[in-house]
Amino acid sequence: PFGMTLPPADFDAFERDTPAAYLGDPLWRVRMLRMASYMGGRARTDAPRLGLHASLAQADQLVRAISSVAANIAEGYSRDSDADRRRFYGYALGSTREAITWMDGIGLHGDRAFAEYVDLLVQIRRQLLTSMKRIQRRAPSSTRQRGPREPG
């Protein structure tokens, strides 16, 4: 209705065609942002298809968690201080884990789209943990905090 287009049905196609909003923005080089942006667009179109597998509240929570990942990565990337960047990446990590939990709770384990979502979320989680560790290593030892817990 507003001239907006949905992302392609697969991540590789989405990644090849830079959205106009990101042209010239170094943020687009951040793979975890590209994955999260793709998933945010897809989740809004896929959620209504969950049908009897999820309540409206569950579908809404899933979409909100997934959408929050990209927003927090973008905001963290744009921060000047390592502490701020790490904090927003921590928010993104929490939303990533929340989305994984919702996906698991909805339980579409044999579905191809489900597998793609989980795969991308696991990759994002791994990249966020790596980024946060890198930021933490740069911090002076007197300001270091305990990092996020590794997935078990």
Side-chain angles (χ1 to χ4, degrees):
F2 298 104
M4 298 177 70
T5 57
L6 298 173
D10 70 275
F11 177 64
D12 292 333
F14 175 77
E15 201 171 27
R16 281 191 302 273
D17 190 22
T18 305
Y22 292 105
L23 287 174
D25 190 334
L27 177 61
W28 190 248
R29 292 190 307 240
V30 179
R31 183 168 169 78
M32 62 185 173
L33 179 274
R34 294 192 310 267
M35 290 187 285
S37 294
Y38 164 74
M39 288 182 60
R42 290 294 313 207
R44 285 185 291 282
T45 60
D46 289 345
R49 297 183 196 150
L50 290 173
L52 299 175
H53 296 285
S55 70
L56 288 176
Q58 288 174 315
D60 180 60
Q61 281 296 118
L62 175 63
V63 170
R64 290 164 60 111
I66 289 173
S67 298
S68 178
V69 175
N72 282 301
I73 290 170
E75 189 158 356
Y77 180 86
S78 302
R79 295 298 173 147
D80 288 332
S81 77
D82 281 348
D84 281 345
R85 186 171 300 114
R86 188 173 188 284
R87 182 167 43 95
F88 280 96
Y89 285 1
Y91 297 153
L93 178 61
S95 294
T96 300
R97 287 177 169 159
E98 179 185 358
I100 289 170
T101 302
W102 282 114
M103 293 295 294
D104 189 51
I106 291 169
L108 297 171
H109 299 287
D111 185 76
R112 185 179 63 81
F114 173 89
E116 180 185 25
Y117 274 89
V118 172
D119 179 58
L120 289 171
L121 287 165
V122 168
Q123 288 182 57
I124 291 167
R125 180 182 63 198
R126 187 178 315 121
Q127 290 177 25
L128 283 165
L129 286 166
T130 300
S131 296
M132 292 171 73
K133 282 181 185 176
R134 235 180 249 136
I135 292 167
Q136 189 66 30
R137 277 190 231 123
R138 290 194 306 243
S141 59
S142 63
T143 62
R144 288 190 185 170
Q145 298 172 348
R146 186 166 106 42
R149 282 183 241 137
E150 295 283 342

